[in-house]
């Protein structure tokens, strides 16, 4: 399996699974306007997953397309971070998960725009526009909820406490990254992390939120080792393809 | 003295309507006209929002990425339609959240079609094709409704609806030419959604109490039965084209009139569903109420933050 | 304003460069940023716009329709404001 394939799968699966989570909100948002906004984010993520997984299929060259990759792998073959598969919880938890993710994705796509891989840089350029908007939206909400009412402050601090342990995996690297780094396809993740830390610190400061002191880490998704949530997600995501194999829809 | 003024105002009002001059929010209007519109537009808005749920069911289970994106966009459009309509209700002096509370308390109605369950992927096809198709029949004439904000909202809605019906028909056509299992799935969805779709146009004209006044006010341009007939005439050939059978053994084409004649609609079922006894009435309303209740702290937080910030700014 | 809902905003959209912002409808939002973002999500899902104005509905001061006669009819008689009022000799095309 090529390093490039593995890397694109990681990006694509983050979009796919977070898009899935976001789409669960459609029809259930806290207010109509926000329902529409969250569905827009879900749509962007599903669109990114489509471009990325189709491209991963091309790189692999075994005749699998985006749909085959999205719907017909085993759980261990999905490489999204644990963060994006976490349940939606209340609106604040969804927003916090989105914010931690957007603050990482924006600098990541910025760097990937200059990738030596032309296709990847094109996807990054398009996705960056969307991600900037997602980050603006999620950061504003973190601030509103953090500095809103006593109840909202408590709730979103709680969400941060719960999700914080999954944030380090966003910066996970292994031999896949080392190889692509040497080929100029990606840049050092440390630069992305540095930017993420600044964004997170500034937004939490404005939101009057405290970064948890418990730095216990939960990782595994990038290697295919997921939380209990993943099986339930796949049961829905793959339902049609598994129940009615080999059909056109 | 006052009475004379009112009847004079009413005469002038009807004159405007007859000349096809639109009524705008701050213009004088009879109270009945205002109340009829508030009832009709808010019911329409509720239908758009409750209508998100049966299809929303299938977003996480859509069979491929393209269908998933299309369905998401489609259900999101319905939220947009609800919003356009709630904003036109508000121009009449009604309050959006109060009308929504009426929905949640069971006081306000919405289209009874959304009280039927979506049990297979083919239902996404049947709903787009039949339910959005019936909605378009109803809504196109409303683009010329006498009340300006409603008419303008409907223009926007109708522009967006055409993709909804097409994506639904595409799903059905794809299934109909697929494997036997898929074709059966499509036929089964058509069987379940056909009659409820015909009921969407409302009771027969003889039974419909609001129609005459609404037609005079140009809130309504066609009667229920006229619209239903247009729908049947348009839809039957579409079903034939993709090889599906309309579940009506009495359906026949009348060469003389050039129209299809349908069998009898089960109006008892219709009234039961309207009354709240459909398969999903309770689920739908409970789900919407829960969304609002669960979101209340978010609404309050955003208000509190906006107030704090305004205070800081002016300090 | 009740604590339980957000204020109403009127949304105006410029559909492309060179055109005026046009009123498209209203929505609810807690603050101006949110009003603009919601305006984007609600009213430009099919790339209908390149610029958005959001104005709180309570800040819109509207003319009174019962005064429409005195406000607008006087200009009906000022036909000289319209170019078609003037005779232009044949042979002059662009004026
Ligand atoms: Fe709609
Ligand atoms: Fe509709
Ligand atoms: Fe629709």
């Amino acid at each position: 399996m090529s390093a490039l394939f593995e890397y694109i799968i990681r990006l694509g699966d983050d979009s796919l699974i977070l898009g899935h989570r976001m789409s669960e909100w459609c029809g259930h948002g806290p207010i109509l306007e926000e329902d529409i906004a969250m569905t827009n984010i879900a749509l962007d993520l599903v669109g990114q997953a489509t471009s990325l997984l189709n491209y991963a299929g091309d790189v692999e060259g075994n005749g699998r397309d985006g749909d085959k990759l999205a719907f017909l792998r085993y759980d261990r073959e999905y490489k999204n971070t644990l963060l994006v598969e976490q349940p939606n919880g209340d609106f604040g938890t969804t927003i916090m998960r989105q914010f931690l993710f957007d603050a990482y994705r924006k600098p990541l796509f910025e760097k990937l725009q200059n990738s030596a891989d032309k296709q990847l840089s094109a996807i990054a350029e398009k996705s960056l526009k969307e991600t900037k908007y997602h980050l603006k939206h999620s950061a504003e909400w973190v601030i509103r909820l953090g500095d809103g009412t006593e109840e909202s402050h408590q709730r979103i601090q709680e969400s941060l406490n719960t999700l914080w342990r999954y944030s380090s995996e966003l910066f996970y690297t292994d031999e896949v990254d080392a190889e692509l780094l040497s080929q100029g396809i990606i840049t050092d993740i440390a630069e992305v992390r540095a930017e993420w830390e600044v964004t997170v610190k500034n937004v939490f400061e404005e939101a009057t939120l405290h970064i948890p002191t418990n730095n216990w880490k939960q990782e595994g998704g990038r290697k295919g080792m997921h939380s209990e949530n993943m099986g339930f997600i796949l049961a829905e995501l793959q339902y049609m393809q598994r129940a009615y194999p080999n059909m056109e829809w | 003295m006052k009475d004379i003024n009112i009847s004079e105002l009413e005469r002038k009002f009807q004159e405007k309507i007859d000349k096809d001059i639109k009524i705008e929010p701050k213009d004088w209007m009879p109270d009945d006209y205002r109340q009829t519109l508030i009832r009709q537009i808010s019911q329409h808005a509720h239908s758009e929002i409750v209508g998100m749920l049966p299809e929303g069911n299938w977003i996480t289970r859509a069979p491929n990425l393209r269908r998933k994106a299309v369905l998401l966009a489609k259900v999101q459009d319905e939220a947009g339609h609800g919003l356009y309509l709630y904003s036109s209700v508000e121009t009449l002096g009604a309050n959006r959240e109060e009308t929504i509370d009426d929905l949640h308390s069971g006081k306000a109605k919405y289209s009874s079609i959304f009280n039927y369950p979506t049990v297979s992927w083919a239902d996404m096809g049947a709903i787009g094709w039949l339910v959005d198709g019936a909605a378009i029949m109803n809504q196109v004439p409303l683009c010329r409704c006498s009340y300006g904000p409603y008419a303008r909202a409907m223009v926007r809605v109708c522009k967006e609806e055409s993709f909804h019906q097409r994506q639904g028909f595409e799903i059905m056509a794809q299934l109909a030419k697929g494997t036997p299992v898929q074709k059966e799935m499509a036929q089964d969805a058509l069987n379940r959604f056909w009659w409820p779709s015909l009921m969407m146009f409302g009771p027969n004209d003889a039974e419909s109490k609001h129609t005459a006044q609404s037609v005079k006010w140009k809130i309504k341009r066609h009667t229920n039965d006229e619209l239903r007939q247009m729908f049947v005439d348009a839809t039957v050939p579409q079903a034939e084209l993709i090889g599906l059978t309309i579940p009506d053994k009495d359906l026949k084409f009348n060469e003389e009139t050039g129209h299809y004649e349908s069998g009898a609609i089960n109006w008892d079922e219709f009234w039961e569903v309207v009354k709240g006894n459909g398969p999903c009435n309770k689920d739908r309303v409970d789900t919407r109420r829960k969304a609002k209740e669960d979101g209340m702290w978010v609404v309050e937080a955003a208000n509190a933050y906006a107030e704090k910030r305004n205070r800081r700014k002016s300090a | 304003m009740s604590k339980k809902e957000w204020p109403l905003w009127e949304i105006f959209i410029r559909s492309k460069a060179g055109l005026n912002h046009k009123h498209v409808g209203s929505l609810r939002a807690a603050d101006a940023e949110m009003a603009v973002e919601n305006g984007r999500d609600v009213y430009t899902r099919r790339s209908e716009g390149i610029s958005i104005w959001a104005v709180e509905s309570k800040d819109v001061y509207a003319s009174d329709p019962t005064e429409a006669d005195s406000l607008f009819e006087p200009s009906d008689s000022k036909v000289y404001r319209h170019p078609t009022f003037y005779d232009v000799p044949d042979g002059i095309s662009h004026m």
Side-chain angles (χ1 to χ4, degrees), chain A residues 82-153:
Chain A
L82 296 180
L83 176 70
V84 299
E85 69 196 47
Q86 294 310 305
N88 285 346
D90 66 7
F91 176 74
T93 302
T94 293
I95 283 294
M96 183 55 77
R97 183 184 64 199
Q98 190 69 37
F99 170 67
L100 293 171
F101 182 76
D102 294 337
Y104 142 82
R105 269 290 184 118
K106 179 181 158 272
L108 181 72
F109 281 140
E110 265 163 2
K111 312 280 185 251
L112 285 177
Q113 283 188 110
N114 307 316
S115 171
D117 186 284
K118 287 288 153 275
Q119 183 68 23
L120 188 56
S121 90
I123 296 175
E125 195 187 324
K126 173 163 189 296
S127 307
L128 176 62
K129 290 189 191 115
E130 299 164 349
T131 306
K132 277 183 179 167
Y133 184 76
H134 302 173
L135 177 59
K136 182 170 155 45
H137 180 262
S138 60
E140 282 174 3
W141 268 115
V142 167
I143 295 167
R144 281 188 200 106
L145 298 176
D147 194 19
T149 60
E150 215 168 293
E151 179 188 2
S152 71
H153 175 85

Side-chain angles (χ1 to χ4, degrees), chain A:
Chain A
M1 197 185 309
S2 82
L4 183 58
F5 172 78
E6 181 71 10
Y7 187 81
I8 304 165
I9 284 287
R10 289 175 182 178
L11 289 179
D13 285 347
D14 274 351
S15 298
L16 178 70
I17 302 301
L18 190 58
H20 181 97
R21 281 298 193 209
M22 223 36 185
S23 77
E24 292 173 2
W25 274 102
C26 186
H28 309 273
I31 188 159
L32 213 39
E33 285 82 349
E34 191 54 30
D35 201 305
I36 296 174
M38 287 196 286
T39 306
N40 257 353
I41 294 171
L43 271 169
D44 287 342
L45 290 167
V46 171
Q48 290 170 15
T50 307
S51 324
L52 286 162
L53 295 178
N54 274 326
Y55 182 42
D58 292 345
V59 168
E60 187 187 41
N62 280 342
R64 288 203 284 185
D65 61 4
D67 281 329
K68 284 239 163 61
L69 287 167
F71 295 92
L72 289 169
R73 278 177 290 158
Y74 295 120
D75 61 333
R76 296 289 175 100
E77 296 169 311
Y78 286 82
K79 302 298 169 58
N80 54 280
T81 54
L82 296 180
L83 176 70
V84 299
E85 69 196 47
Q86 294 310 305
N88 285 346
D90 66 7
F91 176 74
T93 302
T94 293
I95 283 294
M96 183 55 77
R97 183 184 64 199
Q98 190 69 37
F99 170 67
L100 293 171
F101 182 76
D102 294 337
Y104 142 82
R105 269 290 184 118
K106 179 181 158 272
L108 181 72
F109 281 140
E110 265 163 2
K111 312 280 185 251
L112 285 177
Q113 283 188 110
N114 307 316
S115 171
D117 186 284
K118 287 288 153 275
Q119 183 68 23
L120 188 56
S121 90
I123 296 175
E125 195 187 324
K126 173 163 189 296
S127 307
L128 176 62
K129 290 189 191 115
E130 299 164 349
T131 306
K132 277 183 179 167
Y133 184 76
H134 302 173
L135 177 59
K136 182 170 155 45
H137 180 262
S138 60
E140 282 174 3
W141 268 115
V142 167
I143 295 167
R144 281 188 200 106
L145 298 176
D147 194 19
T149 60
E150 215 168 293
E151 179 188 2
S152 71
H153 175 85
Q154 243 167 34
R155 277 180 184 249
I156 191 132
Q157 180 68 57
E158 196 57 44
S159 306
L160 172 55
N161 297 349
T162 307
L163 293 172
W164 186 247
R165 73 197 70 184
Y166 302 107
S167 58
S168 70
E169 194 182 17
L170 296 169
F171 310 103
Y172 170 89
T173 57
D174 58 17
E175 65 284 353
V176 168
D177 303 79
E179 188 180 331
L180 298 182
L181 187 61
S182 73
Q183 295 166 3
I185 292 177
I186 64 172
T187 51
D188 193 346
I189 195 77
E191 296 168 29
V192 175
R193 181 166 207 156
E195 271 193 53
W196 179 84
E197 274 166 0
V198 172
T199 309
V200 161
K201 185 176 159 285
N202 290 342
V203 169
F204 288 165
E205 216 167 78
E206 206 179 329
T208 70
L209 294 173
H210 312 287
I211 291 182
T213 46
N214 182 348
N215 271 320
W216 185 251
K217 292 175 198 164
Q218 291 291 339
E219 297 184 355
R222 286 284 189 244
K223 279 289 192 198
M225 199 49 229
H226 294 279
S227 63
E228 291 179 344
N229 298 299
M230 197 63 181
F232 293 102
I233 292 174
L234 296 184
E236 282 190 49
L237 182 70
Q238 300 188 342
Y239 166 65
M240 291 297 292
Q241 289 290 345
R242 297 294 187 194
Y244 305 92
N246 303 316
M247 297 181 200
E248 294 291 317
W249 301 96

